[in-house]
Amino acid sequence: MKKWLLALAAAAALAVGVSVSQSTPVRADETWTPVATLGVSLTPDQKSGTLSTLENAANVTNVSQLTVNGSTLVKYLNPAGSSFTASSGVWSSALVQKTSSGGINVQIVNYNGVNNITTITADQYRNAALTAGVTNANIFITSAVRIDGSGALAGVYAAFAQNGETLNSAQIAAAQDEVNTLSGITQANKDQSGYSDKQLNNAVAGMKSQMASQSNNGSQTLSQNQIGNIVDSQLKQNNLTQIINNNQRTQIINLLVKIQDSGALKGNDFKTQANQLASSIQNSAKGLFSKLKSLDTPENRNFLQQIWDSIVNFFQTLGDWIQSLFS
């Protein structure tokens, strides 16, 4: 009992400790000049500091610069239900480095020693980029002020468009819905023992991979019931069955239906990128996922059953004793 409880405590502690993801960048694609997308609301000093922060993290110089403003937010994020205007402020910024392989890697970089991205996690950025149609890229995110990070995400889409790789608008809308859904679920469960954002994003990446396989890369439409079975399978694999409630499960199913309807599954590299994303998330927190797997064993399930049987037997014995007093 003590050993099992210690394992649970260790898993919970790891879940808290790895909430901000960092994945390993891979070699850049030389056909792309790295693009720094800088928020329009940055002061001159903040702009200079942001650019140097991103360049140092990516180990590059002489990048192309792109300004992200309220109109950029309106163009890319409002179709999913956001309410930005042309005058909306933008502070969060990104540096996008196209690669020839290696999947989607995201690093949230501290600005003057502080992580100012308050809402979107690195793994949420990665899952959203996958849904939007991004393939093989190192993405570095930072902000000079505390902000949710939406501007940086819009900047990523704009960077691809600037390089002649305009992403599908329906997929971008699904990606923004994904960010809202996953960040909401993480906020709702952040204080729950045994939950981490990594587990959720790993599950969602696995769901996308399974959907791509079962739909033959989007050539067949999966029913809502089929998608629900995929969701349940991945939640179980990531030890989230007892944490994700029915309403959150429905949100995830509806999200995946929207991703399917957007055409994302038809991308030639979608399944490969989804598998790479899931593998990378697991590798970045091996301790967490190994603990989760060690807890989901027949021995532990039998132990829990023994506890339950003992409780039932106790109350049955108590009931028999009370009944004997009045017989």
Side-chain angles (χ1 to χ4, degrees), residues 70-107:
S71 296
T72 314
L73 302 182
V74 170
K75 178 179 179 179
Y76 290 108
L77 307 186
N78 278 14
S82 297
S83 55
F84 295 107
T85 67
S87 59
S88 292
V90 184
W91 290 267
S92 60
S93 304
L95 190 149
V96 183
Q97 186 181 44
K98 190 72 175 73
T99 59
S100 55
S101 62
I104 302 164
N105 303 288
V106 172
Q107 182 177 337

Side-chain angles (χ1 to χ4, degrees), residues 8 25 32 46 54 156 162 254 293 325:
L8 266 180
W32 254 52
Q46 288 173 339
L54 292 171
V156 171
Q162 178 173 283
N254 291 340
K293 288 179 181 178
L325 293 176

Side-chain angles (χ1 to χ4, degrees), residues 283-301:
N283 287 337
S284 69
K286 287 182 179 179
L288 170 62
F289 287 98
S290 63
K291 288 292 183 183
L292 293 178
K293 288 179 181 178
S294 69
L295 292 175
D296 187 25
T297 63
E299 180 184 6
N300 283 335
R301 288 194 295 272

